[in-house]
Amino acid sequence: MNFLNEELTKFLKKNGADLVGFSDLSFLKDSKLKYGICVAVALNRDIIRKIHDGPTEEYYNEYNRVNKLLDKIVIEGSNFLISKGYESYPQTTSYIKYGSDLLTDLPHKTVATRSGLGFIGKSALLVTKEYGPAVRLSTFLTNAPLSCNEPIVESNCGTCSKCKDNCPACAIYGNNWSVNSKREDLIDPFSCQKKGIELCLKNFNEEIDICGKCIEICPYTQKYLDLKF
């Protein structure tokens, strides 16, 4: 890791990031910004414990709180690099656009796996060793000459099927991810979205599509929830 990596990591963690990774995005043919920085913020453990039986209003508020924090972190990170004379662009929530297939052009998860922050679980969520999938992600791109982490290219789920077995939408197929997998190999996103809306309307009368069961039930999350500080 070079000095700029160290300086930027320290800056991002000071601003609220729990995990920071650096990736080579040279596969992006139409972009001058060939380096990606992925930041992760862990979701509150007490709130995650309470979604065992479905999403709660508290979880919805935490979801929004972390998204706003991530926007702030990547904007500040981009400005930090711009102040050093580099180009940078934050992929904030206002920037990210979802197509009819519920996909984006450059998912945060893609940058995350290429940054070595974790693997994609059977739930199609990023799974980190520190927090499991109980994280939210954001990214920013740059042309700054950063040292890149080793990409993660395959799953570590093994034979575990807890997310599949406990999915209220039956949307998880139970397949292990690899770097060449497509999302439709892992989950049915439309069934997931539909069930999330149904549960949120039932539990706290909000028409939004969050659930969280596959986050809460993951053994990696359970390890995070049991940590004592």
Side-chain angles (χ1 to χ4, degrees):
M1 183 179 291
N2 66 33
F3 178 73
L4 182 58
N5 286 67
E6 293 176 357
E7 193 179 14
L8 182 55
T9 298
K10 183 177 180 180
F11 178 83
L12 293 170
K13 290 192 172 183
K14 182 179 179 181
N15 278 274
D18 290 310
L19 300 174
V20 178
F22 302 91
S23 62
D24 178 354
L25 300 180
S26 57
F27 69 93
L28 298 175
K29 303 300 183 184
D30 299 324
S31 175
K32 297 183 296 182
L33 309 181
K34 301 299 187 182
Y35 296 90
I37 302 95
C38 185
V39 297
V41 172
L43 296 164
N44 182 285
R45 290 181 301 151
D46 292 334
I47 291 172
I48 295 300
R49 288 190 183 101
K50 295 175 184 176
I51 62 172
H52 181 76
D53 297 316
T56 64
E57 187 170 10
E58 191 177 18
Y59 175 55
Y60 173 49
N61 292 336
E62 172 70 354
Y63 190 93
N64 288 328
R65 179 193 73 83
V66 172
N67 282 350
K68 289 177 182 177
L69 175 58
L70 284 164
D71 277 354
K72 176 180 177 294
I73 292 169
V74 297
I75 289 170
E76 293 292 338
S78 282
N79 288 339
F80 176 89
L81 290 175
I82 290 168
S83 74
K84 301 282 186 183
Y86 302 108
E87 295 180 59
S88 185
Y89 196 90
Q91 294 206 117
T92 61
T93 51
S94 61
Y95 169 84
I96 294 293
K97 305 299 180 188
Y98 290 92
S100 59
D101 56 2
L102 305 181
L103 287 172
T104 68
D105 290 338
L106 180 62
H108 298 316
K109 291 182 290 187
T110 298
V111 184
T113 58
R114 288 176 175 268
S115 298
L117 292 187
F119 62 90
I120 304 299
K122 292 178 180 177
S123 61
L125 296 176
L126 184 82
V127 180
T128 68
K129 68 177 182 179
E130 297 89 350
Y131 309 106
V135 294
R136 298 290 297 160
L137 305 171
S138 192
T139 55
F140 57 109
L141 311 182
T142 185
N143 64 349
L146 298 166
S147 299
C148 297
N149 301 111
E150 188 70 25
I152 293 175
V153 298
E154 60 183 20
S155 172
N156 200 34
C157 289
T159 59
C160 178
S161 62
K162 286 194 173 182
C163 62
K164 174 183 181 293
D165 297 341
N166 289 275
C167 176
C170 299
I172 300 172
Y173 302 140
N175 298 326
N176 275 315
W177 166 84
S178 72
V179 71
N180 295 316
S181 298
K182 297 179 180 179
R183 187 189 57 183
E184 55 264 33
D185 297 330
L186 303 177
I187 66 166
D188 176 353
F190 300 101
S191 294
C192 176
Q193 182 186 59
K194 182 179 178 181
K195 177 57 72 171
I197 293 171
E198 177 187 316
L199 291 172
C200 290
L201 280 170
K202 176 185 176 183
N203 290 1
F204 54 96
N205 200 34
E206 288 282 354
E207 192 173 353
I208 53 172
D209 61 337
I210 60 172
C211 171
K213 185 59 185 180
C214 58
I215 294 175
E216 181 268 339
I217 202 68
C218 177
Y220 285 89
T221 302
Q222 290 296 312
K223 184 178 179 181
Y224 163 53
L225 297 184
D226 288 340
L227 290 177
K228 301 295 189 295
F229 292 97

